[in-house]
Amino acid sequence: MLERVKAALPALPPAEQRVAKLLLADARSFANLPVSELADRSHVSKPTVVRFCRSVGYDGLADFKLKLAGSVNEGVPFVHRAVDEDDKPGDVIVKVVDNAVAALLHYRNDAASHAFERAIDALADSARHNKRIEFYGVGNSGIVAQDAQHKFFRLGVNTVATSDGHVQLMSATMLQPGDCAVIISNSGRSRDLLDAADIARKKGATIIIITASASPLAQLALGPSQILLAVDHPEDFDRYSPMVSRLLHLIAVDILTTGVALKLGQHLRPVLQEIKKNLRAKRYAG
């Protein structure tokens, strides 16, 4: 969370920068001080404190302080403990699990609820009007895209997942206003995904991007029909399979799926029950 504020600092207005510097100087105190005290210490107005919280991706001061309190009080340190060649299996277990738990806990505190709300609304609206929802990813992110397609398919949504760059370009070209393209990338630098996102944007589709906040792909999520679900983590993906990023991307997909299911309402329950019944019958047949 503090890393996100540091990254956003140069782009903030001068008054909001003073609020950010107060936060970075003593995050624990910031989480506990009332807005009037924060404004006085930053030499800004109370509305400026609230605007700062929204500028860095939160709903307001209350949401920001809630996430901040969880971040500064969290017992698991957010330090990437890379495995070494001479680690024993017991060491590998501890390091891999600690990395995953720490990343998930910090993502819980950093995830911008207003961005998820916009994404869920857009996806639910596409589903209601039988519009297309497409998931694009390559490599490990392609696996997440397939998982997302499987989850949304069970909701009765018109959806596909593609991991081939040429197919993504063709698919994006056929998108229309009201459709959604969910683009998933660990690095946010894949040329194929950047091209597909740009084409989908030009076709008027809503773009939902799950990637690192400082990446080129994230920079495409700046317009009213583009939504960034930032996923940041200190993972050494040059040496080992990017497991932590995949877990975080899967969590983001689960949040979207759950939110859309709630939006679509109770009529989904009979369909899901029937699917479960048919699968059970097939499993035990013969």
Side-chain angles (χ1 to χ4, degrees):
M1 187 172 183
L2 298 180
E3 290 302 317
R4 178 188 294 187
V5 174
K6 289 178 183 178
L9 185 61
L12 294 174
E16 293 181 25
Q17 286 187 12
R18 292 199 290 274
V19 181
K21 290 175 181 177
L22 177 68
L23 164 70
L24 296 174
D26 190 352
R28 195 176 299 274
S29 294
F30 193 102
N32 296 310
L33 290 173
V35 63
S36 57
E37 183 70 16
L38 294 173
D40 288 343
R41 294 192 182 191
S42 304
H43 305 292
V44 300
S45 65
K46 288 188 283 188
T48 298
V49 176
V50 177
R51 282 197 299 271
F52 157 75
C53 297
R54 290 175 177 159
S55 294
V56 293
Y58 297 87
D59 291 341
L61 181 60
D63 180 48
F64 183 86
K65 291 177 74 173
L66 178 65
K67 302 288 179 60
L68 178 63
S71 178
V72 298
N73 293 323
E74 190 56 65
V76 180
F78 194 28
V79 177
H80 179 60
R81 301 174 63 192
V83 296
D84 298 313
E85 284 79 0
D86 58 350
D87 279 344
K88 297 178 180 178
D91 298 324
V92 174
I93 291 172
V94 171
K95 290 184 177 182
V96 169
V97 173
D98 279 359
N99 284 342
V101 170
L104 290 172
L105 289 172
H106 278 265
Y107 185 65
R108 177 197 65 187
N109 296 329
D110 285 352
S113 58
H114 74 282
F116 270 101
E117 182 177 3
R118 290 180 59 209
I120 290 168
D121 285 343
L123 290 166
D125 192 57
S126 294
R128 289 192 193 98
H129 294 90
N130 200 31
K131 293 290 189 176
R132 296 167 61 190
I133 296 177
E134 308 217 339
F135 296 94
Y136 302 154
V138 297
N140 282 288
S141 298
I143 297 171
V144 179
Q146 291 174 8
D147 178 76
Q149 188 273 338
H150 180 263
K151 286 184 169 66
F152 274 77
F153 165 76
R154 294 177 69 250
L155 302 181
V157 174
N158 182 14
T159 179
V160 297
T162 58
S163 57
D164 180 272
H166 291 85
V167 176
Q168 288 168 356
L169 294 183
M170 291 187 288
S171 181
T173 303
M174 292 185 285
L175 292 174
Q176 299 177 0
D179 295 332
C180 284
V182 182
I183 302 170
I184 306 164
S185 175
N186 183 20
S187 68
R189 299 179 182 278
S190 166
R191 185 71 260 168
D192 288 341
L193 294 178
L194 286 165
D195 291 342
D198 189 50
I199 292 171
R201 177 183 59 82
K202 291 177 180 176
K203 299 299 290 187
T206 298
I207 312 301
I208 300 169
I209 297 175
I210 302 175
T211 193
S213 59
S215 66
L217 189 57
Q219 301 307 307
L220 295 178
L222 300 177
S225 295
Q226 290 91 52
I227 304 166
L228 173 63
L229 303 178
V231 177
D232 297 304
H233 54 86
E235 184 169 62
D236 184 7
F237 54 83
D238 290 330
R239 288 182 63 193
Y240 302 105
S241 177
M243 186 272 291
V244 169
S245 66
R246 190 188 306 180
L247 284 177
L248 295 177
H249 291 166
L250 289 169
I251 286 291
V253 167
D254 274 356
I255 294 169
L256 293 175
T257 307
T258 304
V260 171
L262 293 173
K263 286 279 186 182
L264 295 182
Q266 293 297 319
H267 75 276
L268 281 175
R269 184 169 297 175
V271 176
L272 294 176
Q273 288 175 340
E274 185 176 4
I275 290 173
K276 186 175 182 179
K277 182 184 73 173
N278 290 337
L279 288 174
R280 187 184 297 114
K282 180 177 178 61
R283 186 178 301 126
Y284 292 109

